[in-house]
Amino acid sequence: MKMRSVLAGGIALAVISAPAIVGMAAMMPISSAVAQQATLNLTGEGEGRLTIGSRPAQTVTFVTVTSQPGGRVEITLRLSDGNLLRWGGQLARQGGGEAQIDLRNSGMADAMGLLTLRYQGNRLISLLGEGTIDSQPMSIRFTIADDSVSRPPTTPTNTLNLTQSGTGTFGLQGRPNRNINFASVTVQQNNSAELSIRLADGNLIRFGGQQTRRDASDIVVNLTSSGNANAQGTANINYGANNSINSINANGTLDSQPFFIQFSGQQVSRPPQPPTVPPSNQAIACSGQMQNGWRYRAEAVNRRFTQIRWERTGQLPTVTTLRFERNNAQGEPVYRGAFRAATEVTLIDLSRGNPRRGTQTSVGVEEWGWSRGTCR
């Protein structure tokens, strides 16, 4: 299989009238030899193998490594199924085109290990390492070369233009959240993508990136730029008939500052319906299936979700216990849990706290993606 490297910079798209991004990480008490090294901003496209515990090995197709003054490092792994993993660590040594990183975390999970990377300029050459994630053994072997790499086909490949008025929130660390009233998504035939959001004050923010997966209702975009600013992250777009946008959920970093986007498209108005609130002791179950074949049944009692039951052919069933975390900007309850105590699970009650027959849930599992469940 041939492979090629990708330089940082991606797609240069403008941030129109948006305030300048400010703020850098404070220096941390590490050795002066490391603290004085230039920050890393590396990208590499190729093929690698990631194993965690007894799970099937996963293919890694794209890696970014960024560091901040003080030595804090973020490693982003793009898997062949379009999902994104983020690791955090601390720079231990750097010089001569090589760096070593002490692995500290994997999303919400604890992690330990040593990662060794080789690079030339802004080009990542290889990433090797071993350690543990939530006490499970982990191994990563990733390399690039100068030739092109074969990617899984993305279907369909025709140009797609989506636009939608609606409501949402754009959040950037250290700044007040800002309201969104319009969004658009354009995907070209070469899979380059642009995500634009218009804020309530009239400002427009554009992100550029690459489509990594598309089906009849969902698009996954790997965000790589925002005008002259560096951007990293993933956008999940759910769309419907007449090129409408149902929802956008995105998060990542913008010039090293964490950001998020939550947007819901304006729904067609319907005649008022009488309220149908189930008795407080009535149990509701909402079922769906993840793309990797795991079927789930989310159960709610007294209008609060308490657990998710998981089943898959050839696998032992398991249960995720849920805890209420907060209501999001749309007033939808958000619950958290874990799959087999190792992988983060999120459930969003799209009924806004009144689950009943016909309403939906959105279930997301780290490394698996998102799925809609229907309540019965």
Side-chain angles (χ1 to χ4, degrees), residues 44-269:
E45 184 175 24
E47 186 168 2
R49 177 184 174 89
L50 171 67
T51 60
I52 301 176
S54 58
R55 307 178 197 173
Q58 297 171 291
T59 300
V60 181
T61 61
F62 192 85
V63 176
T64 65
V65 180
T66 58
S67 69
Q68 297 183 8
R72 187 165 62 88
V73 180
E74 180 175 289
I75 303 99
T76 304
L77 310 177
R78 170 69 62 184
L79 305 181
S80 59
D81 61 6
N83 288 323
L84 201 67
L85 299 182
R86 289 190 176 91
W87 292 350
Q90 187 69 30
L91 187 62
R93 185 179 64 83
Q94 180 184 356
E98 185 173 295
Q100 290 187 337
I101 299 167
D102 289 327
L103 184 62
R104 301 289 178 82
N105 63 76
S106 175
M108 300 293 291
D110 294 328
M112 295 178 60
L114 182 65
L115 306 176
T116 300
L117 59 92
R118 295 176 57 244
Y119 58 94
Q120 185 176 53
N122 286 336
R123 181 180 65 171
L124 177 68
I125 297 174
S126 65
L127 174 65
L128 308 175
E130 294 182 345
T132 60
I133 295 178
D134 264 357
S135 302
Q136 299 185 70
M138 176 279 298
S139 175
I140 174 72
R141 297 288 186 274
F142 176 85
T143 59
I144 71 165
D146 291 330
D147 297 328
S148 61
V149 62
S150 298
R151 284 178 168 269
T154 304
T155 57
T157 59
N158 56 301
T159 301
L160 180 67
N161 293 288
L162 308 174
T163 60
Q164 189 72 41
S165 299
T167 58
T169 304
F170 171 70
L172 183 66
Q173 187 177 64
R175 295 175 177 271
N177 291 346
R178 306 170 74 183
N179 293 328
I180 304 170
N181 57 26
F182 183 83
S184 66
V185 177
T186 300
V187 182
Q188 304 293 341
Q189 291 187 5
N190 64 357
N191 290 328
S192 64
E194 177 182 307
L195 164 64
S196 299
I197 56 172
R198 185 173 295 282
L199 305 180
D201 59 10
N203 288 333
L204 189 68
I205 300 178
R206 291 192 176 105
F207 291 87
Q210 192 77 8
Q211 175 184 267
T212 60
R213 187 172 72 242
R214 190 202 309 182
D215 57 29
S217 60
D218 291 280
I219 297 172
V220 179
V221 175
N222 180 29
L223 303 176
T224 57
S225 65
S226 181
N228 293 324
N230 293 324
Q232 294 184 32
T234 302
N236 294 82
I237 300 105
N238 179 264
Y239 65 101
N242 301 318
N243 290 348
S244 62
I245 298 174
N246 296 327
S247 65
I248 299 174
N249 290 280
N251 68 286
T253 58
L254 184 59
D255 266 357
S256 302
Q257 302 295 317
F259 80 91
F260 72 89
I261 297 171
Q262 291 181 332
F263 177 82
S264 295
Q266 184 175 355
Q267 302 299 315
V268 178
S269 59

Side-chain angles (χ1 to χ4, degrees), residues 263-342:
F263 177 82
S264 295
Q266 184 175 355
Q267 302 299 315
V268 178
S269 59
R270 297 177 180 177
Q273 299 292 327
T276 55
V277 179
S280 61
N281 61 349
Q282 181 175 341
I284 296 293
C286 309
S287 302
Q289 182 168 322
M290 308 302 293
Q291 292 184 358
N292 62 2
W294 278 101
R295 300 180 300 278
Y296 61 86
R297 176 185 170 92
E299 299 177 356
V301 177
N302 195 21
R303 299 193 289 276
R304 293 178 70 92
F305 284 89
T306 58
Q307 64 182 15
I308 302 176
R309 298 182 180 272
W310 300 91
E311 293 183 351
R312 181 180 178 183
T313 303
Q315 300 285 335
L316 294 175
T318 188
V319 176
T320 294
T321 301
L322 298 173
R323 66 183 187 281
F324 173 76
E325 182 180 75
R326 60 184 174 85
N327 286 333
N328 63 19
Q330 287 73 45
E332 299 161 343
V334 178
Y335 298 83
R336 301 284 190 186
F339 182 87
R340 292 179 176 169

